[in-house]
Amino acid sequence: MRRIETEIVVIAAGPSGLAAAAQAAENGARVVVLEKNSTVGGAANMGMGPLGIGTRQQKSMMVDISVERAFKMFMEYTHWRVDATLVKRYFENSANTITWLEEMGVQFAGAYKYFPKSEQTWHIVAVNGGIGRNGGAIMNKAIMEYAREHGVEFYLETPAQRILTDGQGKVCAVIGRGPEGEETEFRCKAVVVATGGAGDNPEMIKERTGYSYKEDMFNFAIPGLKGDGIRMACEAGAATTNMTVEMIYILPHSDTGPDSVPAVLMQPNLMVNQLGKRFINEEEMQNNTFTGNAIAIQKGRVGYSIIDSTILKGYKRNGLDVINFVHDPDDVSDFDEVVEDYILQGNPDIIKADSIEELAEKLGIVPEALLDTVDEYNDMCDRSDELFFKNKTYMKPVVKAPFYAGCFRPSAYGTLGGIKINDRAEVLDKEWLPVPGLYAAGTDTCTIYGDSYMFLLPGNTMGYCLNTGRFAGESAAEYVRAEE
């Protein structure tokens, strides 16, 4: 077996692994990165930017957000069932991380909200000088180039197989498998695990969260996110944590088509469950996590968003009521055409009907139940929402055919949690003691949201990945120096 000597091995090159490698090298350590894919960045290449608090961008845009306010808001949201010290350190370092990225050449379009009720913490990476999707790929490339300038060696298409420890339980090597299947032993003093969770491992998701992939959970399954790092860390002595999903909601068979359909059907109109009953203040539909949570506890884990032709006509003429960065089409005039095309294709999640009774039958709802709900809702549109107190601005009656419904189901950007760490990104064993030389960062470790992703402070996952990656790199470099 070939042997390569280094000081730190970083397993995987998503944003947390890249940040760990760059920070460790900046601090003087010799670093090797093993990445199973042919490119770096992972799922974050589809992202748009990280969270920052107290940044230059926010100050220039007169955004009133501080670490203290964000921390208090976050801890109240999570009921303090999270590592407060880690949250505080993450928030305190987030502005410095934005500056760190800028020094690498990353440009930001500014600090933005994801949806109206969220805070302005999402630092969108500029794409061609403006706002665009996939800015995460630009950021990841910049970190990789910076890491290489500081001597980091990247081994692509070389997945890590296992972490080795010596007789004293200290990390001493990582076994990697190259593109031709050849194994290499990377001798080292420290390892950083940053493999991005288990979004592409239906068995682990079922075992750890209870959801069944493509049955009641339609999460993004980024190829390669198998939970390998969680497995390897546990084999090396790590304690496990609860695993959750970064909950959102989608139209499963329509999420890659034109934006007009999801954009219209995600507006705060009438939403019912399989019993034909409302179950959410639809004003909260702008928050993916809240709505995904609400749908996930309904019968069949599905929610039906319903509009009529008058509501649709209003959106075509005046624009949408609520917009976000993901679904923000310039206009929705193609809605009818796209719906008809979906129906011809047999899309089970897009329904059109000439009456409420027909709509109910197509959705599998008892017609009388849906009729009662629609009548009650329409009456409240003339007064106020006496059930869930929805803002009257969004109370639009459902009266004129044709009627449309979208069948929304739980989804997730990926999994969260699995490896227990402290605020230094040291991996802890079952006695809460650091495993010597073992560190972890990113979504493999992310339990700071409790049971629900904190969408009110957008950019949180990418921000957590970058900052905990830096913590891991800094701590690993310090450990290596102490071991000399």
Side-chain angles (χ1 to χ4, degrees), residues 240-260:
T240 59
T241 66
N242 290 334
M243 182 180 286
T244 59
V245 295
E246 191 177 352
M247 182 72 80
I248 58 174
Y249 71 111
I250 63 169
L251 287 165
H253 299 88
S254 316
D255 54 324
T256 58
D259 247 2
S260 55

Side-chain angles (χ1 to χ4, degrees), residues 53 60 101 130 148 254 282 292 382 437 481:
I53 298 170
S60 68
L101 293 169
R148 278 183 164 156
S254 316
E282 295 91 350
D382 293 330
R481 296 284 81 84

Side-chain angles (χ1 to χ4, degrees), residues 298-352:
Q298 302 307 308
K299 180 182 179 182
R301 287 180 170 165
V302 61
Y304 307 113
S305 175
I306 298 172
I307 64 169
D308 73 350
S309 57
T310 301
I311 294 172
L312 176 59
K313 184 177 180 181
Y315 291 145
K316 290 180 178 179
R317 183 176 61 245
N318 304 318
L320 302 175
D321 291 325
V322 177
I323 61 172
N324 63 48
F325 271 97
V326 175
H327 298 296
D328 183 21
D330 292 331
D331 69 78
V332 295
S333 58
D334 64 342
F335 180 90
D336 305 272
E337 178 184 344
V338 175
V339 165
E340 293 297 336
D341 188 47
Y342 277 142
I343 291 173
L344 286 174
Q345 294 174 24
N347 188 321
D349 297 317
I350 304 296
I351 308 298
K352 180 180 179 181

